[in-house]
């Protein structure tokens, strides 16, 4: 049993890494600590391995607690046993052994290591081709006004922009044709209708052959599935970002800014100011 200590206890996330590392160091020996320190020298989550770090004292006490009174001779036997097992297991390299144990630590504390996360990360889904006939439906628009807008868009798609200019000049006092005004809120929706009707009346080159290539049911279902997967992935990504933002806000609100511990005091000479 380790006597009570005044060592500074690290935050929960760092504490999990410290405890797991101390457990492996207590079982394997100081060699493991040296290798992990060299491998994770640029990782701030492993700064507790360095002398002078505020959490180093807690880490050393944790090693003594995990050893449970083991002597150095006991540690040598543990290391010898592990070396014997490594010989039986086709002699894995020391680097592979350190990586495997580091992955175990990261897995135990639910923090993926850089090597494992890069392998498990799925490639991003390619966005599906744009849909030219799907757009947001305007809200709070009477059915009659919507029918007028659609019929006007059909004539504008057939007769061109001059038809719109002439109609706007003739019906400028008719509120049912206010959507022809470029500053009106429904004008973007009207333009989308015009473009959609133009693609039907005067399809671009290759559109007919492309549609014939997707005429069978299997090809159509594949397109629908890909679009569904992409939209679901976008929704999940947005949801995760929102949850991470909320969790960060909650973490900031849960901090007691009036409860702190002095970790270190820096003194400056008068000529350093």
């Amino acid at each position: 049993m380790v006597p009570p200590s005044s060592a500074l206890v690290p935050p929960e996330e760092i504490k999990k890494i410290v405890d797991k590392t101390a457990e492996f160091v207590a079982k394997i020996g100081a060699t493991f600590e040296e290798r992990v320190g060299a491998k994770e020298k640029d990782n701030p989550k492993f700064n507790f391995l360095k002398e002078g770090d505020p959490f180093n004292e807690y880490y050393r006490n944790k090693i003594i607690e995990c050893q449970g009174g083991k002597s150095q001779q006991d540690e040598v036997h543990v290391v010898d046993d592990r070396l014997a097992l490594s010989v039986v297991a086709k002699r894995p390299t020391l680097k592979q052994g350190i990586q495997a144990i580091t992955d175990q630590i990261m897995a135990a504390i639910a923090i993926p290591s850089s090597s494992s996360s890069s392998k498990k990360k799925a490639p991003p889904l390619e966005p599906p081709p744009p849909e030219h006939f799907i757009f947001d439906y305007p809200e709070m628009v009477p059915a009659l006004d919507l029918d007028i807008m659609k019929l006007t868009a059909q004539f504008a798609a057939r007769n061109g922009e001059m038809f719109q200019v002439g109609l706007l000049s003739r019906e400028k006092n008719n509120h049912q044709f206010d959507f022809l005004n470029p500053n009106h809120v429904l004008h973007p929706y009207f333009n989308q209708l015009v473009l959609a009707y133009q693609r039907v009346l005067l399809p671009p080159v290759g559109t007919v052959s492309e549609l014939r290539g997707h005429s069978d049911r299997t090809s159509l279902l594949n397109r629908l599935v890909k679009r569904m997967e992409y939209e679901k992935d976008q929704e999940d990504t947005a949801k995760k970002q929102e949850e991470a933002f909320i969790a960060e806000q909650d973490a900031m609100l849960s901090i007691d800014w009036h409860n702190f511990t002095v970790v270190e005091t820096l003194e400056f000479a008068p000529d350093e100011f």
Side-chain angles (χ1 to χ4, degrees):
M1 185 69 179
V2 180
S5 173
S6 60
L8 182 64
V9 179
E12 187 63 26
E13 180 182 357
I14 303 299
K15 184 175 180 295
K16 292 179 180 180
I17 302 178
V18 174
D19 294 346
K20 268 297 175 183
T21 306
E23 180 181 344
F24 279 99
V25 172
K27 292 180 180 179
I28 301 175
T31 305
F32 174 76
E33 178 182 332
E34 295 175 359
R35 294 292 181 178
V36 173
K39 182 178 180 300
E40 303 290 346
K41 62 180 179 179
D42 297 326
N43 190 343
K45 293 181 179 179
F46 285 85
N47 283 346
F48 62 86
L49 296 173
K50 302 175 183 178
E51 295 292 339
D53 187 82
F55 306 132
N56 183 263
E57 183 180 356
Y58 173 84
Y59 166 65
R60 298 299 173 190
N61 293 340
K62 194 66 179 179
I63 293 176
I64 298 174
E65 179 183 343
C66 294
Q67 286 175 340
K70 289 184 179 180
S71 63
Q72 293 293 329
Q73 188 67 26
D74 294 335
E75 292 185 7
V76 172
H77 287 312
V78 172
V79 174
D80 290 341
D81 292 341
R82 290 184 176 273
L83 289 175
L85 290 175
S86 66
V87 173
V88 177
K90 298 182 180 181
R91 296 181 180 274
T93 63
L94 184 58
K95 182 179 180 181
Q96 292 174 341
I98 296 298
Q99 180 63 50
I101 297 175
T102 305
D103 290 341
Q104 292 181 29
I105 295 176
M106 294 300 186
I109 60 178
I111 300 177
S113 63
S114 58
S115 61
S116 59
S117 61
S118 60
K119 294 180 181 178
K120 295 180 180 179
K121 187 176 180 180
L125 297 177
E126 295 184 0
E131 289 288 352
H132 302 286
F133 304 100
I134 299 178
F135 31 82
D136 295 334
Y137 187 84
E139 298 180 357
M140 306 299 293
V141 178
L144 178 60
D145 292 346
L146 189 59
D147 290 340
I148 293 175
M149 193 184 309
K150 291 180 179 180
L151 187 59
T152 306
Q154 294 179 29
F155 279 93
R158 169 65 71 178
N159 300 310
E161 186 177 357
M162 294 304 298
F163 171 80
Q164 297 186 47
V165 175
L167 184 63
L168 176 61
S169 176
R170 190 184 70 182
E171 301 291 343
K172 60 182 179 181
N173 296 324
N174 188 346
H175 71 277
Q176 289 184 321
F177 288 91
D178 287 344
F179 58 84
L180 293 172
N181 191 330
N183 297 324
H184 195 266
V185 66
L186 293 177
H187 187 73
Y189 178 76
F190 171 73
N191 282 338
Q192 289 179 320
L193 288 175
V194 173
L195 293 177
Y197 287 129
Q198 284 178 345
R199 295 185 68 88
V200 174
L201 299 173
L202 302 171
V205 179
T207 302
V208 177
S209 59
E210 182 181 356
L211 292 175
R212 288 175 179 172
H214 296 291
S215 58
D216 61 297
R217 181 178 300 180
T218 302
S219 176
L220 179 61
L221 289 177
N222 287 336
R223 290 181 59 191
L224 294 175
V225 169
K226 289 182 179 180
R227 179 172 294 276
M228 179 195 68
E229 292 176 348
Y230 177 79
E231 292 180 354
K232 185 176 184 303
D233 180 71
Q234 293 295 105
E235 292 178 0
D236 293 342
T237 301
K239 184 178 179 181
K240 289 179 181 178
Q241 292 177 349
E242 183 180 1
E243 290 176 351
F245 178 74
I246 294 176
E248 183 179 358
Q249 284 188 325
D250 293 342
M252 294 295 293
L253 293 175
S254 64
I255 296 176
D256 186 0
W257 298 101
H258 300 283
N259 182 18
F260 61 90
T261 302
V262 178
V263 178
E264 186 176 358
T265 302
L266 300 179
E267 297 181 359
F268 296 92
D271 56 349
E272 294 179 346
F273 289 99

